[in-house]
């Protein structure tokens, strides 16, 4: 499927009126992705409690199509909530690579963003963007469920700007950002 999506812009542009078909296809695919974000929930510390609250009755995350998955094979969003220790860095990178493209990452809370209150600790990764690329950062210690929902809405806006022509298909893209599975530089 990914190869078909990646080749589709070339085929569409070769036929008369193909750009209209391409734009419509982009819109439909983006809409599908926007309303079916399945996060692999990665609760590591206190922020995870706020994340769990977002799934509960009052905030009802399901209405955004956000359905938590227990397997990276079925997830397209890695939601890191909490303090990432250097010991945990390598498993996070492994899990990230097990997720299918296109995959997104959200850092929830100061700890995931930059180390938070444990910035000076020898054992804490000073932001998960040191080990995997991050799409949306949610500030706060901890951020409230409303902030998480706002973060998802920002990610949805980003998804709606994805174009097949610019590599928004489903095959693995050239990855950018630092990669340090051992967390040595973190
Ligand atoms: S950012 Fe604050 S609330 Fe969230 S995991 Fe770190 S210490 Fe806990």
């Amino acid at each position: 499927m990914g190869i078909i999506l990646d080749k589709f812009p070339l085929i569409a542009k070769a036929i008369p009126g193909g750009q209209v078909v391409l734009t419509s296809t982009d819109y439909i695919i983006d809409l599908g992705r926007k309303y079916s974000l399945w996060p692999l929930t990665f609760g590591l510390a206190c922020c995870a409690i706020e994340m769990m609250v977002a799934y509960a009755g009052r905030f009802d995350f399901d209405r955004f199509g956000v359905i938590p998955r227990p397997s990276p094979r079925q997830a397209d969003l890695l939601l890191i909530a909490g303090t990432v220790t250097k010991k945990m860095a390598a498993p996070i990178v492994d899990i990230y690579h097990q997720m299918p493209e296109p995959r997104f990452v959200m850092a929830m809370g100061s700890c995931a963003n930059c180390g938070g209150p444990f910035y000076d600790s020898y054992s804490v990764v000073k932001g998960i963007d040191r080990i995997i690329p991050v799409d949306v950062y949610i500030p706060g210690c901890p951020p409230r469920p409303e902030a998480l929902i706002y973060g998802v809405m920002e990610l949805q806006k980003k998804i709606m700007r994805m174009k097949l022509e610019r590599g928004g298909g489903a095959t693995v893209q050239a990855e950018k950002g630092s990669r340090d599975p051992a967390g040595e530089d973190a």
Side-chain angles (χ1 to χ4, degrees):
M1 183 65 182
I3 293 168
I4 297 169
L5 286 179
D6 286 340
K7 296 270 184 240
F8 183 71
L10 292 174
I11 300 164
K13 280 180 151 183
I15 56 171
Q19 192 62 46
V20 178
V21 178
L22 188 57
T23 308
S24 310
T25 308
D26 275 335
Y27 181 74
I28 292 165
I29 290 175
D30 290 348
L31 208 60
R33 285 177 180 156
K34 175 184 175 184
Y35 289 118
S36 60
L37 277 170
W38 289 3
L40 176 80
T41 51
F42 218 93
L44 293 165
C46 12
C47 275
I49 306 296
E50 299 295 322
M51 181 180 68
M52 288 178 225
V53 173
Y55 290 104
R58 183 170 174 193
F59 297 98
D60 192 14
F61 226 177
D62 288 16
R63 69 200 153 107
F64 290 87
V66 179
I67 316 284
R69 305 302 300 167
S71 161
R73 309 279 182 208
Q74 301 162 353
D76 53 3
L77 169 62
L78 184 56
L79 181 47
I80 306 278
T83 320
V84 180
T85 58
K86 289 187 177 174
K87 200 173 180 180
M88 205 63 206
I92 287 176
V93 173
D94 286 346
I95 286 168
Y96 173 77
H97 285 295
Q98 286 170 358
M99 291 168 63
E101 286 277 348
R103 53 195 167 201
F104 310 99
V105 178
M106 283 174 66
M108 181 181 179
S110 300
C111 284
N113 290 345
C114 62
F118 310 108
Y119 183 82
D120 287 336
S121 169
Y122 70 94
S123 61
V124 169
V125 177
K126 295 168 183 57
I128 57 162
D129 54 4
R130 298 193 180 212
I131 53 172
I132 51 174
V134 175
D135 293 284
V136 176
Y137 299 84
I138 305 169
C141 178
R144 279 189 51 83
E146 291 95 330
L148 177 58
I149 290 170
Y150 182 73
V152 165
M153 288 163 70
E154 289 300 306
L155 181 60
Q156 286 178 330
K157 284 183 200 166
K158 201 169 176 177
I159 288 170
M160 285 309 287
R161 290 196 294 270
M162 285 173 68
K163 305 263 181 250
L164 291 177
E165 219 175 342
R166 294 203 304 254
T171 53
V172 177
Q173 304 298 318
E175 290 178 349
K176 298 183 180 69
S178 61
R179 285 287 185 285
D180 177 27
E184 297 296 329
D185 295 339

PDB file of all heavy atoms in Angstrom, residues 129-152:
ATOM      1  N   ASP A 129      13.425  14.251  22.236  1.00  0.00           N
ATOM      2  CA  ASP A 129      13.871  14.587  20.883  1.00  0.00           C
ATOM      3  C   ASP A 129      15.367  14.322  20.706  1.00  0.00           C
ATOM      4  O   ASP A 129      15.906  14.480  19.625  1.00  0.00           O
ATOM      5  CB  ASP A 129      13.506  16.040  20.521  1.00  0.00           C
ATOM      6  CG  ASP A 129      14.003  17.043  21.536  1.00  0.00           C
ATOM      7  OD1 ASP A 129      14.704  16.647  22.486  1.00  0.00           O
ATOM      8  OD2 ASP A 129      13.660  18.236  21.384  1.00  0.00           O
ATOM      9  N   ARG A 130      16.026  13.931  21.774  1.00  0.00           N
ATOM     10  CA  ARG A 130      17.426  13.512  21.642  1.00  0.00           C
ATOM     11  C   ARG A 130      17.533  12.081  21.135  1.00  0.00           C
ATOM     12  O   ARG A 130      18.613  11.648  20.734  1.00  0.00           O
ATOM     13  CB  ARG A 130      18.150  13.625  22.973  1.00  0.00           C
ATOM     14  CG  ARG A 130      18.185  15.061  23.461  1.00  0.00           C
ATOM     15  CD  ARG A 130      19.158  15.241  24.590  1.00  0.00           C
ATOM     16  NE  ARG A 130      19.149  16.625  25.021  1.00  0.00           N
ATOM     17  CZ  ARG A 130      20.214  17.253  25.494  1.00  0.00           C
ATOM     18  NH1 ARG A 130      21.352  16.621  25.591  1.00  0.00           N
ATOM     19  NH2 ARG A 130      20.119  18.501  25.872  1.00  0.00           N
ATOM     20  N   ILE A 131      16.438  11.343  21.198  1.00  0.00           N
ATOM     21  CA  ILE A 131      16.499   9.944  20.744  1.00  0.00           C
ATOM     22  C   ILE A 131      15.536   9.638  19.588  1.00  0.00           C
ATOM     23  O   ILE A 131      15.815   8.774  18.770  1.00  0.00           O
ATOM     24  CB  ILE A 131      16.259   8.952  21.913  1.00  0.00           C
ATOM     25  CG1 ILE A 131      14.962   9.268  22.671  1.00  0.00           C
ATOM     26  CG2 ILE A 131      17.456   8.937  22.846  1.00  0.00           C
ATOM     27  CD1 ILE A 131      14.585   8.214  23.707  1.00  0.00           C
ATOM     28  N   ILE A 132      14.409  10.340  19.512  1.00  0.00           N
ATOM     29  CA  ILE A 132      13.470  10.168  18.390  1.00  0.00           C
ATOM     30  C   ILE A 132      12.901  11.536  17.992  1.00  0.00           C
ATOM     31  O   ILE A 132      12.845  12.430  18.823  1.00  0.00           O
ATOM     32  CB  ILE A 132      12.303   9.189  18.736  1.00  0.00           C
ATOM     33  CG1 ILE A 132      11.620   9.577  20.056  1.00  0.00           C
ATOM     34  CG2 ILE A 132      12.749   7.749  18.764  1.00  0.00           C
ATOM     35  CD1 ILE A 132      10.394   8.753  20.391  1.00  0.00           C
ATOM     36  N   PRO A 133      12.476  11.697  16.722  1.00  0.00           N
ATOM     37  CA  PRO A 133      11.904  12.996  16.334  1.00  0.00           C
ATOM     38  C   PRO A 133      10.532  13.208  16.974  1.00  0.00           C
ATOM     39  O   PRO A 133       9.759  12.254  17.074  1.00  0.00           O
ATOM     40  CB  PRO A 133      11.761  12.888  14.803  1.00  0.00           C
ATOM     41  CG  PRO A 133      12.194  11.542  14.418  1.00  0.00           C
ATOM     42  CD  PRO A 133      12.511  10.742  15.619  1.00  0.00           C
ATOM     43  N   VAL A 134      10.268  14.434  17.389  1.00  0.00           N
ATOM     44  CA  VAL A 134       9.001  14.736  18.078  1.00  0.00           C
ATOM     45  C   VAL A 134       8.163  15.692  17.216  1.00  0.00           C
ATOM     46  O   VAL A 134       8.681  16.655  16.665  1.00  0.00           O
ATOM     47  CB  VAL A 134       9.277  15.368  19.463  1.00  0.00           C
ATOM     48  CG1 VAL A 134       7.985  15.808  20.132  1.00  0.00           C
ATOM     49  CG2 VAL A 134      10.026  14.397  20.346  1.00  0.00           C
ATOM     50  N   ASP A 135       6.870  15.395  17.090  1.00  0.00           N
ATOM     51  CA  ASP A 135       5.970  16.244  16.299  1.00  0.00           C
ATOM     52  C   ASP A 135       5.327  17.329  17.138  1.00  0.00           C
ATOM     53  O   ASP A 135       5.194  18.467  16.700  1.00  0.00           O
ATOM     54  CB  ASP A 135       4.870  15.385  15.670  1.00  0.00           C
ATOM     55  CG  ASP A 135       5.427  14.447  14.628  1.00  0.00           C
ATOM     56  OD1 ASP A 135       5.729  14.915  13.531  1.00  0.00           O
ATOM     57  OD2 ASP A 135       5.601  13.257  14.928  1.00  0.00           O
ATOM     58  N   VAL A 136       4.892  16.980  18.342  1.00  0.00           N
ATOM     59  CA  VAL A 136       4.203  17.957  19.196  1.00  0.00           C
ATOM     60  C   VAL A 136       4.730  17.848  20.623  1.00  0.00           C
ATOM     61  O   VAL A 136       4.859  16.733  21.164  1.00  0.00           O
ATOM     62  CB  VAL A 136       2.671  17.718  19.188  1.00  0.00           C
ATOM     63  CG1 VAL A 136       1.972  18.663  20.149  1.00  0.00           C
ATOM     64  CG2 VAL A 136       2.090  17.879  17.791  1.00  0.00           C
ATOM     65  N   TYR A 137       5.051  19.000  21.204  1.00  0.00           N
ATOM     66  CA  TYR A 137       5.471  19.061  22.606  1.00  0.00           C
ATOM     67  C   TYR A 137       4.316  19.637  23.428  1.00  0.00           C
ATOM     68  O   TYR A 137       3.743  20.652  23.055  1.00  0.00           O
ATOM     69  CB  TYR A 137       6.687  19.982  22.775  1.00  0.00           C
ATOM     70  CG  TYR A 137       7.922  19.570  22.020  1.00  0.00           C
ATOM     71  CD1 TYR A 137       8.091  19.920  20.683  1.00  0.00           C
ATOM     72  CD2 TYR A 137       8.936  18.848  22.639  1.00  0.00           C
ATOM     73  CE1 TYR A 137       9.227  19.552  19.983  1.00  0.00           C
ATOM     74  CE2 TYR A 137      10.080  18.484  21.950  1.00  0.00           C
ATOM     75  CZ  TYR A 137      10.221  18.843  20.622  1.00  0.00           C
ATOM     76  OH  TYR A 137      11.346  18.483  19.926  1.00  0.00           O
ATOM     77  N   ILE A 138       4.029  19.011  24.556  1.00  0.00           N
ATOM     78  CA  ILE A 138       2.985  19.539  25.436  1.00  0.00           C
ATOM     79  C   ILE A 138       3.659  19.970  26.734  1.00  0.00           C
ATOM     80  O   ILE A 138       4.164  19.125  27.483  1.00  0.00           O
ATOM     81  CB  ILE A 138       1.907  18.476  25.723  1.00  0.00           C
ATOM     82  CG1 ILE A 138       1.339  17.947  24.398  1.00  0.00           C
ATOM     83  CG2 ILE A 138       0.797  19.047  26.585  1.00  0.00           C
ATOM     84  CD1 ILE A 138       0.472  16.725  24.555  1.00  0.00           C
ATOM     85  N   PRO A 139       3.698  21.285  26.995  1.00  0.00           N
ATOM     86  CA  PRO A 139       4.383  21.746  28.210  1.00  0.00           C
ATOM     87  C   PRO A 139       3.536  21.531  29.463  1.00  0.00           C
ATOM     88  O   PRO A 139       2.319  21.333  29.384  1.00  0.00           O
ATOM     89  CB  PRO A 139       4.596  23.234  27.933  1.00  0.00           C
ATOM     90  CG  PRO A 139       3.502  23.615  26.997  1.00  0.00           C
ATOM     91  CD  PRO A 139       3.161  22.390  26.198  1.00  0.00           C
ATOM     92  N   GLY A 140       4.186  21.589  30.607  1.00  0.00           N
ATOM     93  CA  GLY A 140       3.453  21.482  31.880  1.00  0.00           C
ATOM     94  C   GLY A 140       4.023  20.386  32.755  1.00  0.00           C
ATOM     95  O   GLY A 140       4.693  19.474  32.286  1.00  0.00           O
ATOM     96  N   CYS A 141       3.746  20.509  34.048  1.00  0.00           N
ATOM     97  CA  CYS A 141       4.257  19.517  34.997  1.00  0.00           C
ATOM     98  C   CYS A 141       3.206  19.285  36.088  1.00  0.00           C
ATOM     99  O   CYS A 141       3.290  19.875  37.147  1.00  0.00           O
ATOM    100  CB  CYS A 141       5.576  19.982  35.594  1.00  0.00           C
ATOM    101  SG  CYS A 141       6.254  18.847  36.834  1.00  0.00           S
ATOM    102  N   PRO A 142       2.219  18.440  35.866  1.00  0.00           N
ATOM    103  CA  PRO A 142       1.912  17.786  34.581  1.00  0.00           C
ATOM    104  C   PRO A 142       0.966  18.645  33.768  1.00  0.00           C
ATOM    105  O   PRO A 142       0.250  19.478  34.320  1.00  0.00           O
ATOM    106  CB  PRO A 142       1.188  16.514  35.036  1.00  0.00           C
ATOM    107  CG  PRO A 142       0.454  16.949  36.283  1.00  0.00           C
ATOM    108  CD  PRO A 142       1.320  17.973  36.935  1.00  0.00           C
ATOM    109  N   PRO A 143       0.898  18.409  32.440  1.00  0.00           N
ATOM    110  CA  PRO A 143      -0.132  19.084  31.647  1.00  0.00           C
ATOM    111  C   PRO A 143      -1.489  18.482  31.965  1.00  0.00           C
ATOM    112  O   PRO A 143      -1.572  17.286  32.230  1.00  0.00           O
ATOM    113  CB  PRO A 143       0.256  18.758  30.193  1.00  0.00           C
ATOM    114  CG  PRO A 143       1.488  17.956  30.238  1.00  0.00           C
ATOM    115  CD  PRO A 143       1.714  17.500  31.633  1.00  0.00           C
ATOM    116  N   ARG A 144      -2.520  19.283  31.932  1.00  0.00           N
ATOM    117  CA  ARG A 144      -3.865  18.753  32.190  1.00  0.00           C
ATOM    118  C   ARG A 144      -4.372  18.004  30.943  1.00  0.00           C
ATOM    119  O   ARG A 144      -3.836  18.192  29.861  1.00  0.00           O
ATOM    120  CB  ARG A 144      -4.811  19.910  32.540  1.00  0.00           C
ATOM    121  CG  ARG A 144      -4.688  20.358  33.999  1.00  0.00           C
ATOM    122  CD  ARG A 144      -5.789  21.341  34.354  1.00  0.00           C
ATOM    123  NE  ARG A 144      -7.118  20.866  34.004  1.00  0.00           N
ATOM    124  CZ  ARG A 144      -7.845  20.048  34.775  1.00  0.00           C
ATOM    125  NH1 ARG A 144      -7.369  19.647  35.928  1.00  0.00           N
ATOM    126  NH2 ARG A 144      -9.042  19.664  34.383  1.00  0.00           N
ATOM    127  N   PRO A 145      -5.412  17.190  31.107  1.00  0.00           N
ATOM    128  CA  PRO A 145      -5.952  16.480  29.942  1.00  0.00           C
ATOM    129  C   PRO A 145      -6.343  17.421  28.799  1.00  0.00           C
ATOM    130  O   PRO A 145      -6.193  17.069  27.631  1.00  0.00           O
ATOM    131  CB  PRO A 145      -7.188  15.772  30.516  1.00  0.00           C
ATOM    132  CG  PRO A 145      -6.904  15.605  31.957  1.00  0.00           C
ATOM    133  CD  PRO A 145      -6.084  16.772  32.355  1.00  0.00           C
ATOM    134  N   GLU A 146      -6.822  18.639  29.148  1.00  0.00           N
ATOM    135  CA  GLU A 146      -7.180  19.604  28.095  1.00  0.00           C
ATOM    136  C   GLU A 146      -5.959  19.926  27.229  1.00  0.00           C
ATOM    137  O   GLU A 146      -6.078  20.108  26.011  1.00  0.00           O
ATOM    138  CB  GLU A 146      -7.702  20.913  28.692  1.00  0.00           C
ATOM    139  CG  GLU A 146      -9.049  20.807  29.374  1.00  0.00           C
ATOM    140  CD  GLU A 146      -8.922  20.584  30.864  1.00  0.00           C
ATOM    141  OE1 GLU A 146      -7.914  19.972  31.289  1.00  0.00           O
ATOM    142  OE2 GLU A 146      -9.823  21.013  31.603  1.00  0.00           O
ATOM    143  N   ALA A 147      -4.776  20.017  27.869  1.00  0.00           N
ATOM    144  CA  ALA A 147      -3.553  20.320  27.123  1.00  0.00           C
ATOM    145  C   ALA A 147      -3.207  19.163  26.179  1.00  0.00           C
ATOM    146  O   ALA A 147      -2.766  19.388  25.040  1.00  0.00           O
ATOM    147  CB  ALA A 147      -2.395  20.572  28.093  1.00  0.00           C
ATOM    148  N   LEU A 148      -3.430  17.940  26.653  1.00  0.00           N
ATOM    149  CA  LEU A 148      -3.175  16.777  25.797  1.00  0.00           C
ATOM    150  C   LEU A 148      -4.119  16.794  24.592  1.00  0.00           C
ATOM    151  O   LEU A 148      -3.693  16.553  23.452  1.00  0.00           O
ATOM    152  CB  LEU A 148      -3.355  15.485  26.614  1.00  0.00           C
ATOM    153  CG  LEU A 148      -3.197  14.172  25.848  1.00  0.00           C
ATOM    154  CD1 LEU A 148      -1.832  14.079  25.181  1.00  0.00           C
ATOM    155  CD2 LEU A 148      -3.398  12.973  26.776  1.00  0.00           C
ATOM    156  N   ILE A 149      -5.378  17.114  24.851  1.00  0.00           N
ATOM    157  CA  ILE A 149      -6.357  17.178  23.760  1.00  0.00           C
ATOM    158  C   ILE A 149      -5.961  18.274  22.771  1.00  0.00           C
ATOM    159  O   ILE A 149      -6.015  18.091  21.553  1.00  0.00           O
ATOM    160  CB  ILE A 149      -7.780  17.409  24.332  1.00  0.00           C
ATOM    161  CG1 ILE A 149      -8.231  16.143  25.073  1.00  0.00           C
ATOM    162  CG2 ILE A 149      -8.771  17.770  23.235  1.00  0.00           C
ATOM    163  CD1 ILE A 149      -9.497  16.299  25.890  1.00  0.00           C
ATOM    164  N   TYR A 150      -5.502  19.413  23.295  1.00  0.00           N
ATOM    165  CA  TYR A 150      -5.061  20.500  22.420  1.00  0.00           C
ATOM    166  C   TYR A 150      -3.855  20.045  21.577  1.00  0.00           C
ATOM    167  O   TYR A 150      -3.763  20.354  20.383  1.00  0.00           O
ATOM    168  CB  TYR A 150      -4.687  21.733  23.262  1.00  0.00           C
ATOM    169  CG  TYR A 150      -4.273  22.918  22.431  1.00  0.00           C
ATOM    170  CD1 TYR A 150      -5.203  23.646  21.700  1.00  0.00           C
ATOM    171  CD2 TYR A 150      -2.938  23.306  22.378  1.00  0.00           C
ATOM    172  CE1 TYR A 150      -4.819  24.724  20.928  1.00  0.00           C
ATOM    173  CE2 TYR A 150      -2.543  24.386  21.600  1.00  0.00           C
ATOM    174  CZ  TYR A 150      -3.490  25.097  20.881  1.00  0.00           C
ATOM    175  OH  TYR A 150      -3.108  26.155  20.113  1.00  0.00           O
ATOM    176  N   GLY A 151      -2.957  19.285  22.207  1.00  0.00           N
ATOM    177  CA  GLY A 151      -1.788  18.753  21.489  1.00  0.00           C
ATOM    178  C   GLY A 151      -2.217  17.845  20.345  1.00  0.00           C
ATOM    179  O   GLY A 151      -1.667  17.919  19.235  1.00  0.00           O
ATOM    180  N   VAL A 152      -3.215  17.009  20.598  1.00  0.00           N
ATOM    181  CA  VAL A 152      -3.721  16.118  19.541  1.00  0.00           C
ATOM    182  C   VAL A 152      -4.351  16.938  18.418  1.00  0.00           C
ATOM    183  O   VAL A 152      -4.173  16.645  17.235  1.00  0.00           O
ATOM    184  CB  VAL A 152      -4.727  15.097  20.127  1.00  0.00           C
ATOM    185  CG1 VAL A 152      -5.521  14.419  19.027  1.00  0.00           C
ATOM    186  CG2 VAL A 152      -3.998  14.050  20.946  1.00  0.00           C
TER     187      VAL A 152
END
